Amino acid sequence: VRHLGSRLLIAIPGIALAVAVVWAGGVALAALLVVIAVLGLVELHSLTAAARPIRWAGDLCVVLWVVLPLFGSSPSRQLLLGAVACILVSAVGGLTARRREDVTLRVSVTVFGGLYLGLPLAMLMALREGPNGAAAVANVLVGTWAFDTFAYLGGRVWGRTPIAPRTSPNKTVEGAVIGLVGAVACVVLAGLYMDWISLVESIVLAIAICIAAFAGDLFESMLKRDAQVKDSGRILLGHGGILDRFDALLFSAPVAYLVTSWLVG
Amino acid sequence: VRHLGSRLLIAIPGIALAVAVVWAGGVALAALLVVIAVLGLVELHSLTAAARPIRWAGDLCVVLWVVLPLFGSSPSRQLLLGAVACILVSAVGGLTARRREDVTLRVSVTVFGGLYLGLPLAMLMALREGPNGAAAVANVLVGTWAFDTFAYLGGRVWGRTPIAPRTSPNKTVEGAVIGLVGAVACVVLAGLYMDWISLVESIVLAIAICIAAFAGDLFESMLKRDAQVKDSGRILLGHGGILDRFDALLFSAPVAYLVTSWLVG
């Protein structure tokens, strides 16, 4: 295992920070999510630099979206306000751009970046602001990162059958199955100690999180492959960039938000 | 006035159809909105053909989004489900695309089309399904089309000062002001006869609708200018294409949805 030392050097304080900030919630969590969103967008805008995203508009979209659930009585309405802001701010970005060549593409990649990073991180914020918020967010993180870890380790030991050779040649069916089983076990364990969700519900939630996490991971691999880079960035020593670390969460968080809101009501 | 005959030939039955279908709501309105969404997306995909949008994914996004508010108890949650579906369906479109060159751009224009057409039309559907739905939707249509008409006529008679010469040389400050005054008057008149909204509230709503409608009109002009076409299509004789007719509504509907949901609670 390459870079194991530096990987742990980042992972352990990273997990501690995540636990503390998810526990604290509120402005502390919003601040961390804003940092992740903006740094992730820097990486995405560099992957899509050829299409010249409108950087200020993208930044404003994701920051607004993440911060909005802190205000107002209805988190879901705040999330919708963020979605409307994403298209309107990007449109104003296009209308006020000095260079108008290919402005439709510029607006499109700006909207895409806003939705890809802003919506999931805003949904994590909204989930934390809801009832049992800390437990609900912890569940998403546990499920996503357990899937990631078990799939990676399981794949290294028993992996034989490529599952998506074109996009991510190292991923295997065996790894994905072990990841799913491991993540379900972790989420069930976490869920059993928190009396807001039943055993069956926590299994449904964990399976949904795993499928989304898997798709999120593949999708980010596709973006990198398209841009012909190996890592989205180098900000997290040995863990690549922000997008490399949060790719699965960008799809699992919105799915978990929806499933949780159906389960809890 | 060019094509006055054929314009009225479309406008009068068009308005009658809109009134009947907004009144009926439910499946009838969803069907009309699906038709508008899909035909609008055909035009948008042809404007952005060079970036090769993933057509089936875009179609699925807008159809899902528009239809979702018919189901479930919470329209705002259904709208969020549509937003999540927009990014996930587009991602799956990218991952399953046969040709992967510039797949990030393909996904981006697909997401953009989904959000630009799907979100506003889904919000109109959700508005109709809410309390006082027919009145709320009628208010948006009256405000948007009154603004459009008064701004056009006022601009022709008194227009002198270009307001956005780079994007839309025929639009004038005088036209916009007359449009605003005319639209506020129409919305107030409509609001006074419907006792779910106060006078001040209907003025606020109308002003918000006008600003958004103006931006929506400019934005679509920018898209056409970028693609170097004059009309987005020719499906509506003398009215150009679907996007030409609904451009203002695509921005005014989401803004009206948010303002209405704040006002009504």
Side-chain angles (χ1 to χ4, degrees), chain B residues 130-210:
Chain B
N132 296 297
V137 172
N139 239 338
V140 184
L141 300 180
V142 166
T144 304
W145 287 332
F147 175 76
D148 210 37
T149 307
F150 282 100
Y152 174 75
L153 296 176
R156 280 187 73 91
V157 179
W158 292 287
R160 288 177 162 262
T161 324
I163 192 167
R166 191 162 63 131
T167 310
S168 204
N170 291 327
K171 288 199 171 33
T172 59
V173 176
E174 294 79 5
V177 170
I178 291 163
L180 182 71
V181 173
V184 168
C186 289
V187 166
V188 165
L189 282 172
L192 284 177
Y193 289 103
M194 303 168 188
D195 58 3
W196 57 286
I197 199 172
S198 75
L199 177 66
V200 174
E201 287 171 343
S202 64
I203 293 174
V204 170
L205 182 59
I207 293 173
I209 287 173
C210 290

Side-chain angles (χ1 to χ4, degrees), chain B residues 239-252:
Chain B
H239 291 253
I242 293 281
L243 294 182
D244 297 319
R245 181 70 309 194
F246 292 96
D247 51 4
L249 191 64
L250 294 179
F251 279 14
S252 66

